[in-house]
Amino acid sequence: MADRVRSTPSTARYGLTDDRAAAHLSAAGWWGEAGPAPDRETSMVALSRSPDPDLALLALDRIRTADTGGWPALDRAIATDRGLRGRLLAVFGGSSALADFVIARSGEWRRLLTDRRHSVADYPAVLLESVDAGEDGVARRTGADAVRTLRAAYRGLLLEIAADDLGHLVEPGLPVPTYAQTTGRLTALAEAAMRAALAVAAAAAGDARDGCRLTVIAMGKCGGHELNYVSDVDVLFVGDGDLEVATRMASTMIRVAGQSCFEVDAALRPEGKAGPLVRTLDGHAAYFDRWARTWEFQALLKARPVAGDAALGEGYLDVVRPLVWAAADRDNFVDDVRAMRRRVEDHVPTDLLDRELKLGRGGLRDVEFAVQLLQLVHGRNDESLRRRSTVDTLAALGEGGYVGRTDSAEMGESYRFLRLVEHRLQLQRLRRTHLFPQAGDTDELRWLARAAGIRPDRGKAEGEVLQAEFQRHLRRIRRLHEKLFYRPLLEAVARVPGEALRLSAEAAEARLAALGYAAPDGALRHIEALTAGMSRRAAIQRALLPALLEMLAETPDPDGGLLAYRRVSEALASTEWYLRVLRDEAAVVERLATLLGTAKLVPDLIVRAPEVLRLLSDPEQLAGRDTAEVATSLRQAVNRQAYLGNAVAAARSLRRHELLRVAAADLLGFMDVLTVCHALSSVWVAVLQATLAAVDRAESVSAGGRRARIAVIGMGRLGGGELGYGSDADVLFVCEPVEGVSDADAVKYAGRVAQSVRKQLGAPSQDPPLQVDVDLRPEGRQGSLVRTLESYRAYYEQWAQVWEAQALLRALPIAGDEDLGARFIEMIDPIRYPEGGLDAARVREIRRIKARVDTERLPRGADPATHMKLGRGGLADVEWTLQLLALRHAHEVPSLRTTSTVDGLRAAVAAGLVAEADAAALREAWLLATHARNAATVVRGKVSDQLPAAGRELVAVAAVLRPDADPGEFVDSYRRTLRRSRGVVERLFYEG
């Protein structure tokens, strides 16, 4: 018995480690009690050579069970067709994604039969046929149908390419395609796919397509005939005629190709994603002639037309070819290319640098940058170097003597090795990846080694051999890259000393000091950082800075403004339109200088909401946007987000945009103080409305349905529509149970909603805080966060104190259930507008509370004469005076029933309660203190209630409020205004 057990063959002999292997093989008829079936030995040996025999066998079992009727034919083909056997088993063991594709489509395996494969020349016809395109190049299939059929046809041809690429691993006698053949076929397939997608786009455009011409220019690896299995395809578009139609066609082509085949990336076009998708030939020529940066000419090395109007494509090449080969004449050209490579490498996490095939040290980019730099420098006069393929160009550099033959051969070999590894990694799951497996991942290394054709060697397992080879090629490439990329000859090319064009350092510092910069040496460092090199950005900065320095010198803080400008410029370096707007719009750079040299709040907001810069050129756009429209846009944007976190993030983002827009208009004098407060309040209300709705939706899902109607009542400055930049949102939450829900359950539900609203909006952020303050609720911090309407009624009727009635004077429904909010207001009206007004005891109580606030809440060390909120004649004085009038007289003067301070003063005058001169004094003081408080917050970048005593901050605040006044005169004027206000307050509040 023991002899029989020992003599029974094991599936492990064929590289199979899965416990189910024998069962799968037996079910397929490949395995019996004595081992492999006599006529299946060849198939078993082939299976053992697959990159992953277990994965290949599992795929065979899946296809057998999925297509029982077709299995006998496939089984016979595997046994008799050597080519199919090698290709199919290699794909099944090398790509789970392609295996899934074959298994899901009955009979798909037949395309791998030796006599059934397509040639490269067939690709366009196959893919055009898949979308039913006619001779006119217009598809008959459109929409989802076209995407579905194109996807299947593309994936089928990709399967054929991969099968040919891998087949020799399983059947050694099969042809071994070269690197160029495989990448050439992948590129041809991509071109055919873009033509088919363009045919679908042409159909979508209808007859309008006749009014335009469009050509697709391939860039990058597609342009160089070097595509990967999974890669974005870089393109740009050139149009003629109706560019709107051409743009629609280009967009449709991108979408169709992306949904069916691969991502199409048009970010290499002029101005990147900020630029138009389609430009005319003249538009491209003008851009490249004037504004293109060095890397853009580098990218054009591989440009070629691949779809659309061929004549237009050739016309494009006629325009850009001369520019490409003149690029090395540009100032600082070599340094630009080197800096670009360093930036690319700097973006790779340190722990991945030695595993990144593409961007890491010794990776593919090291080869490509070195080759392209040599090519651009020497190709100006040697047309033999004007090639698109990296390996072809490298060979030509070696042949021409620009690179040693050995260096050329070694770098070419290593480049092809890394591309092979890259292809195998991407084939596994048809995902874009460039990351080599970790050293300890033995299973992944073994699979990758076998897929790359690497076998055990001298006692080392396949994975160990692969890892050693990988490291050897990385070291070789890095060594050759540094040798070729940084050679002294190239460093000297096209370099023009810039010192002769600038002042000496000493003269520049003297000039900056004369302009008013307190630290000219520091300012000079900022200037040098902004203008270093000869990039497009640096060139524009050099043109802008002379004027900008003069403009900043006119602001309260030139040094701070220049530092802020540098920070903004560096943060927006990748924002293509940023410098273009400054260069082309004189008003923008002038207003930006004013903002940066005045307010610390502005730079961080600009970095996070740069789109507002575009509005600086048009005061009407900057200041004239309707607040209702803003609020509607904000709510709609938030409502589009299904996930609560995204909804709140959208609300914060739009608030940030509006905060910067309003602050800019305010600082530049395009908005008066009341408009500023109204705009800020409107944004806050919209944020609360949108956030409450989003939280309520999320909570109702979690609770199995909405349990309560909720209304948010604005209090204080929020209720009055008088918020400043740093104001909290004072609110009350009121709820009402829905039908069938108890009060207790409704309050619990609403409490969770209210707490979530506060938590979501109050979470730490780089933006100014969004604090929802509920301290004005009944019983203050000890009271319930949310009450029902009846609970509020019971409390106010039995326990309300006079200060609570005073606080309710500014109550206004701002969010949530409108009917509930209206009934809350109806309920509190008798409390805040008491019949008969206030008796003498209550008047004394209010005066006592006000006196206590004046003495206890004023911060220690604060100057009562210049504290804008609690100081003498300041905001609190004016507001308490008006509120006392409302408590005493609003029951008989309906016009006093307003939450607005300014409207209340106007109503008091009309009712004869306040003399017009007194009301004017109060109004002037209130507006001045509000404006000064806003200005101080924006200038300092944090909430501030104290007028600055001296220094640049005082200068900045004074410049915002009185642009032509001396800071000392401004302070004197402020004090006079508030003294007059205090005199009126003492008569009306304390004596009246």
Side-chain angles (χ1 to χ4, degrees), residues 35 45 53 124 157 159 168 197 318 325 340 359 380 420 482 517 535 591 648 686-687 707 711 730 774 799 865 908 939:
V45 172
L157 293 176
L159 169 67
H168 66 92
D318 290 341
W325 300 115
M340 176 60 73
L359 305 178
R380 291 173 296 173
L420 172 67
E482 291 176 351
Y517 289 83
S535 66
R591 289 164 185 162
V648 175
V687 168
R707 317 293 289 175
D730 291 311
V774 292
W799 303 108
V939 165

Side-chain angles (χ1 to χ4, degrees), residues 627 630-631 634 651 654-656 658-659 661-662 678-689 723 770:
T627 54
V630 171
L634 189 149
L654 290 165
R655 175 187 181 253
R656 181 189 316 132
E658 284 304 298
L659 194 60
R661 181 184 69 84
V662 172
H678 177 65
L680 293 174
S681 302
S682 177
V683 171
W684 236 125
V685 167
V687 168
L688 277 169
Q689 290 172 342
L723 286 183
L770 292 122

Side-chain angles (χ1 to χ4, degrees), residues 98 101 108 111 123 126-127 130 147-161 185-194 196 227-231 233 257 260-263 430:
L98 288 176
F101 173 73
E108 190 70 26
R111 66 169 58 244
Y123 293 173
V126 171
L127 296 191
S130 73
V147 168
R148 177 180 54 79
T149 57
L150 180 56
R151 182 190 299 119
Y154 175 84
R155 189 61 64 91
L157 293 176
L158 190 68
L159 169 67
E160 294 183 19
I161 296 171
R185 289 179 69 182
L186 291 169
T187 303
L189 179 59
E191 293 176 27
M194 285 190 282
L227 266 184
N228 305 330
Y229 279 99
V230 184
S231 177
V233 175
S260 57
C261 306
F262 43 73
E263 293 297 320
L430 286 186

Side-chain angles (χ1 to χ4, degrees), residues 698-987:
E699 186 61 34
S700 67
V701 172
S702 176
R706 175 182 277 180
R707 317 293 289 175
R709 289 180 286 274
I710 304 170
V712 180
I713 309 301
M715 305 286 282
R717 290 185 174 277
L718 179 61
E722 298 167 349
L723 286 183
Y725 293 103
S727 299
D728 292 345
D730 291 311
V731 302
L732 300 176
F733 288 96
V734 58
C735 73
E736 185 175 67
V738 299
E739 187 175 352
V741 176
S742 68
D743 282 2
D745 287 345
V747 169
K748 289 179 181 178
Y749 174 90
R752 291 195 299 271
V753 171
Q755 191 60 40
S756 181
V757 168
R758 297 184 68 211
K759 179 180 177 182
Q760 293 288 341
L761 293 179
S765 166
Q766 295 180 11
D767 298 330
L770 292 122
Q771 298 298 333
V772 179
D773 192 333
V774 292
D775 288 351
L776 292 177
R777 66 188 186 272
E779 301 178 84
R781 296 180 180 178
Q782 306 305 314
S784 174
L785 182 62
V786 183
R787 289 176 181 257
T788 64
L789 182 62
E790 292 308 313
S791 176
Y792 274 109
R793 188 192 308 277
Y795 175 86
Y796 286 132
E797 288 178 353
Q798 187 171 3
W799 303 108
Q801 300 180 49
V802 67
W803 72 264
E804 291 178 296
Q806 181 184 354
L808 289 173
L809 287 170
R810 297 183 122 188
L812 185 75
I814 59 170
D817 190 281
E818 294 181 3
D819 177 66
L820 179 58
R823 284 186 283 124
F824 179 89
I825 296 301
E826 183 181 1
M827 181 268 292
I828 65 170
D829 274 353
I831 297 164
R832 60 181 178 171
Y833 310 132
E835 186 65 31
L838 296 181
D839 57 27
R842 287 193 163 192
V843 171
R844 285 195 301 272
E845 175 66 10
I846 289 179
R847 289 170 176 167
R848 185 190 66 79
I849 295 173
K850 175 65 167 67
R852 184 178 175 185
V853 168
D854 287 348
T855 57
E856 295 182 4
R857 292 185 59 189
L858 189 70
R860 180 176 297 178
D863 182 353
T866 56
H867 194 278
M868 295 168 283
K869 181 178 180 181
L870 301 176
R872 293 189 290 269
L875 298 174
D877 268 3
V878 175
E879 291 164 4
W880 280 67
T881 300
L882 177 64
Q883 289 160 15
L884 180 58
L885 286 170
L887 287 168
R888 298 177 71 178
H889 302 288
H891 67 284
E892 59 185 1
V893 182
S895 59
L896 283 174
R897 301 177 184 182
T898 176
T899 62
S900 164
T901 301
V902 172
D903 290 348
L905 289 172
R906 188 180 299 115
V909 171
L913 299 172
V914 177
E916 188 168 342
D918 288 345
L922 294 177
R923 183 180 189 277
E924 183 182 6
W926 187 87
L927 291 176
L928 178 60
T930 299
H931 198 180
R933 190 184 188 208
N934 280 345
T937 297
V938 175
V939 165
R940 286 175 168 169
K942 57 185 178 182
V943 179
S944 180
D945 291 324
Q946 181 72 60
L947 193 69
R952 291 187 183 274
E953 288 183 347
L954 174 61
V955 173
V957 171
V960 174
L961 275 76
R962 303 279 194 274
D964 299 325
D966 175 85
E969 293 176 358
F970 162 73
V971 173
D972 290 343
S973 173
Y974 179 90
R975 289 172 177 267
R976 282 195 303 272
T977 301
L978 268 70
R979 279 198 301 270
R980 286 196 297 269
S981 169
R982 181 66 178 187
V984 174
V985 169
E986 288 177 349
R987 283 189 287 104

